[in-house]
Amino acid sequence: MKKICFMHRASIGDTLMVTPTYRAVKECFPNCKTVVVTSHAGYDLMLGNPHIDRLIPYRKGDPVLPIIKGIWRSDVAVIFDYHYRNALYAALALIPKRIGYGKNFINVRLNDEPLELFEPLKYLAAVKDLGIHTDDLSLTRPVATDADRDHIDRIMQSILRLGQRLVIIVPFSLSTLKDWSTENYRQLIRRLRKKNCVAAILGGGDQFEQTEREFPDAVNLCGVTNLREAAEIISRAELYISGCTAMLHVCSTTDTPSIAIYGPTMPEQWAPKKNCTVITHNLPCSPCYNLKDPPCVDNKCLKNISVDEVWRAVENIL
């Protein structure tokens, strides 16, 4: 196999979850050229990845011709998502073998994997018939530039005094159903201050004002870092704490220990497998995140997780 392309316009977390597959391709076929069509956020995250030879950012409305030229006559196209346009572009690029989960323009259709299967294993299952396999499921860390590291140096110098320890907290996810309560995080931050720890909150720029309002005792880094810089500052922290968020997967690419608070989603599917303390209460109705009609709207599974329970995990690590 000389050239393989992957079509994967996904979220931050899923973009990282597929990196073991890219690495496995290079291990099995070191001379194979890998081309990845990704989202614009995925492009920033994957830039510099040593297992990808060419990255092509794409969102709906972008010119199509550069996509087709970039993947032209690949031996295989693996379409990880269900966007029919990705499969169509692979067909227009005269790629003979098009593997995917969709129905249109796919000639090797994949079966849906069990929901409880660890997400990186689902991506690896898509290429197993190509003879590609690995036992290394570690996610590839985003590659920080010199400018990224310099920026984090300046941030660290501005927020930490001698002897203080940094704890990164990400209280917001894409869905409030997955978020532990704001009041619980506030109590946790106050306890961290008494331990001579600085709590810094990472998030998007659209969460800056909310963070200023709801977490006055924390350092607000929402919108201050790009994704590579986020990985860099997490790698320098003593601890990372969040629910089921994309940034948790960014943390898993570093050696920083994490505490993951899970409610309506399945830790078996999403939680990091190393250096991660998972806190979850398996209620009879859990998990419910993928249901069209969840049995509750008040996050019983998360409300049952107390600040004391999370704090015990914090003390075990710090």
Side-chain angles (χ1 to χ4, degrees), residues 74-78 95-99 107-108 129-130:
S74 297
D75 297 295
V76 180
V78 183
I95 300 175
K97 191 169 188 176
R98 301 181 297 279
I99 303 171
N107 53 24
V108 181
D129 288 341
L130 300 175

Side-chain angles (χ1 to χ4, degrees), residues 3-47:
K3 183 178 178 182
I4 182 171
C5 77
F6 295 95
M7 318 285 280
H8 194 228
R9 296 188 288 122
S11 62
I12 294 169
D14 282 322
T15 296
L16 284 171
M17 289 288 202
V18 77
T19 55
T21 300
Y22 299 150
R23 182 173 56 245
V25 170
K26 282 298 187 183
E27 290 173 350
C28 295
F29 300 97
N31 297 319
C32 178
K33 183 177 181 180
T34 52
V35 181
V36 176
V37 178
T38 184
S39 63
H40 283 252
Y43 181 85
D44 291 338
L45 201 61
M46 294 291 97
L47 199 63

Side-chain angles (χ1 to χ4, degrees), residues 72-317:
W72 182 254
R73 289 192 179 276
S74 297
D75 297 295
V76 180
V78 183
I79 297 95
F80 284 123
D81 50 42
Y82 289 85
H83 297 297
Y84 81 91
R85 287 183 180 85
N86 288 344
L88 170 61
Y89 301 157
L92 292 174
L94 302 184
I95 300 175
K97 191 169 188 176
R98 301 181 297 279
I99 303 171
Y101 293 98
K103 296 180 180 179
N104 299 316
F105 309 107
I106 297 292
N107 53 24
V108 181
R109 193 166 187 275
L110 298 168
N111 296 320
D112 290 329
E113 299 292 337
L115 280 178
E116 64 272 15
L117 186 68
F118 188 38
E119 200 70 6
L121 287 172
K122 294 183 182 181
Y123 291 122
L124 275 169
V127 297
K128 65 180 180 181
D129 288 341
L130 300 175
I132 297 168
H133 177 73
T134 183
D135 292 323
D136 182 3
L137 299 181
S138 60
L139 311 187
T140 303
R141 180 174 164 180
V143 180
T145 65
D146 289 341
D148 293 334
R149 286 187 286 270
D150 288 344
H151 187 205
I152 298 306
D153 286 342
R154 292 193 295 272
I155 291 175
M156 296 285 286
Q157 290 166 8
S158 68
I159 66 176
L160 290 180
R161 292 194 293 271
L162 188 64
Q164 289 183 317
R165 295 180 290 179
L166 178 64
V167 176
I168 297 293
I169 295 177
V170 180
F172 310 117
S173 70
L174 289 177
S175 170
T176 55
L177 281 175
K178 299 191 293 180
D179 296 342
W180 203 38
S181 79
T182 298
E183 178 55 32
N184 285 347
Y185 276 119
R186 276 199 290 259
Q187 291 184 38
L188 196 65
I189 289 168
R190 286 196 287 269
R191 293 190 188 190
L192 285 167
R193 289 186 69 183
K194 293 178 181 178
K195 281 277 190 180
N196 202 30
C197 293
V198 172
I201 293 182
L202 288 178
D206 57 333
Q207 295 159 341
F208 185 88
E209 290 186 4
Q210 182 181 0
T211 298
E212 285 284 288
R213 184 173 60 253
E214 297 183 351
F215 301 108
D217 293 327
V219 174
N220 188 355
L221 297 180
C222 292
V224 174
T225 66
N226 62 37
L227 293 171
R228 298 182 305 275
E229 291 168 343
E232 180 67 21
I233 197 167
I234 289 171
S235 74
R236 304 189 194 188
E238 296 286 330
L239 175 63
Y240 170 98
I241 305 170
S242 80
C244 181
T245 67
M247 208 58 69
L248 176 62
H249 306 308
V250 175
C251 177
S252 75
T253 70
T254 74
D255 293 326
T256 299
S258 61
I259 295 173
I261 305 167
Y262 272 78
T265 54
M266 284 188 287
E268 296 83 3
Q269 181 183 5
W270 296 108
K273 300 303 181 187
K274 68 168 188 174
N275 221 12
C276 179
T277 301
V278 174
I279 300 177
T280 187
H281 290 178
N282 291 317
L283 301 184
C285 55
S286 301
C288 68
Y289 186 69
N290 291 317
L291 299 179
K292 290 183 179 179
D293 297 306
C296 73
V297 292
D298 59 353
N299 289 22
K300 291 179 182 178
C301 50
L302 288 170
K303 284 182 177 178
N304 284 349
I305 297 174
S306 68
V307 176
D308 287 339
E309 186 175 357
V310 175
W311 184 247
R312 286 193 292 270
V314 170
E315 288 192 309
N316 286 338
I317 295 171

